[in-house]
Amino acid sequence: MSRDQAAEIANGSTVDVSEATTRFLLYGLLPGWFVPGLADWLMHRRTRIEDTTGTKESLIHSLMMAEVGAPIALTLRYEINPLLLTVQLGAAAVHEATALWDVRTAENSDRELKPVEQHIHSFLESLPFGALASLMCLHADQVRSLLRGGRGDPDAWRLVPRRRPLSPGYLAAIGVAIGACVLLPYGEELLRCRRAARARKRRARAHRAVLRKVKGN
C-alpha cells in the first residue's frame, strides 16, 4: 500500500475494495498458502511417514494437492463465471472429504498425529474456503448467474480467458513456488515412502527365504 492510499484511508476517503481484495488474494493468500503446506510436509517427515502409513497417505496428500491446484490454475488463467465457480465449489467439497480421509488414515496407523500438525491442517482446510468466499464477493454477479443456472449468459458454461491476463512474471513466480514448495517436497515424500516399501518387501522375502531354508533342514 502506498503512502497516498494510506493517507486516503486516514482521511476517510474510499479505496477500491475490489482491487485491494484481488491484490490480497494474489500476493498474500496464495503465496502464504505454501507456508502451512511446507510445515505439514516437515511434520510428515518428522513422524517418519514412510515407516507408518507410507505410500497410501502420501498418495492422499498428492490427491489433495491436485484438488487444490487444478482450480487455482484455472482461476489464474480464466474469468470467474458459473462454470469456474462450480469447479471451485466442487473441488473445495472434494478436498474437505479427502482431508477427513487423510486424518482418519493417519489416526488408524502408528504415525503420531501431533497437535501442531492438526493445527497446521486447520490452516490448510480453511484457506480454500477463505479464498473462495473472497472470489464470490468479488464476483457477486457471477454467483447470481450460477444460482439462475447461467440463463441469459452465453459464456456461463465455458472457459473464458481473462480479459486482463496476469503478468507472465507473476505466473512464472507462482509456478516456481509451486515447484519448490509443493512438487519437490511432496514428490520427495512419495519417493521416500516407495523406497521404504520396497525395502520392507525385500526384508520380508529374505525372511521367508530363511524360514524355508530352516524348515528344509
Side-chain angles (χ1 to χ4, degrees), residues 2 118 188:
S2 67
Q118 295 183 28
E188 182 274 340

Side-chain angles (χ1 to χ4, degrees), residues 79-95:
E79 290 286 339
I80 300 296
N81 64 2
L83 173 60
L84 194 46
L85 284 172
T86 300
V87 171
Q88 293 165 341
L89 288 166
V94 172
H95 179 266

Side-chain angles (χ1 to χ4, degrees), residues 89-102:
L89 288 166
V94 172
H95 179 266
E96 185 65 20
T98 309
L100 291 173
W101 180 24
D102 175 43

Side-chain angles (χ1 to χ4, degrees), residues 34 45 48-49 56-57 72 79 106 127 133 139 144 147-148 161 170 175 177-178 197 206:
F34 300 131
R45 189 178 182 88
R48 300 190 63 80
I49 184 175
K56 178 182 178 180
E57 189 182 2
I72 287 177
E79 290 286 339
L127 285 172
H139 301 278
R144 289 193 293 270
L147 294 175
R148 294 194 300 268
Y170 176 82
I178 291 173

Side-chain angles (χ1 to χ4, degrees), residues 125-140:
E125 291 178 37
S126 62
L127 285 172
F129 291 103
L132 186 53
S134 297
L135 282 172
M136 293 176 76
C137 289
L138 283 173
H139 301 278

Side-chain angles (χ1 to χ4, degrees), residues 30-120:
L30 182 54
W33 212 326
F34 300 131
V35 177
L38 275 175
D40 199 35
W41 169 75
L42 287 171
M43 293 302 301
H44 303 158
R45 189 178 182 88
R46 182 179 177 183
T47 54
R48 300 190 63 80
I49 184 175
E50 66 272 18
D51 295 326
T52 51
T53 49
T55 303
K56 178 182 178 180
E57 189 182 2
S58 186
L59 285 172
I60 294 174
H61 297 157
S62 298
L63 177 60
M64 287 193 291
M65 299 301 169
E67 291 165 353
V68 170
I72 287 177
L74 291 173
T75 303
L76 292 175
R77 297 299 302 272
Y78 299 99
E79 290 286 339
I80 300 296
N81 64 2
L83 173 60
L84 194 46
L85 284 172
T86 300
V87 171
Q88 293 165 341
L89 288 166
V94 172
H95 179 266
E96 185 65 20
T98 309
L100 291 173
W101 180 24
D102 175 43
V103 173
R104 188 179 299 112
T105 299
E107 287 183 339
N108 292 336
S109 73
D110 294 330
R111 189 168 81 81
E112 182 182 3
L113 196 63
K114 295 180 179 294
V116 173
E117 183 177 345
Q118 295 183 28
H119 192 58
I120 291 170

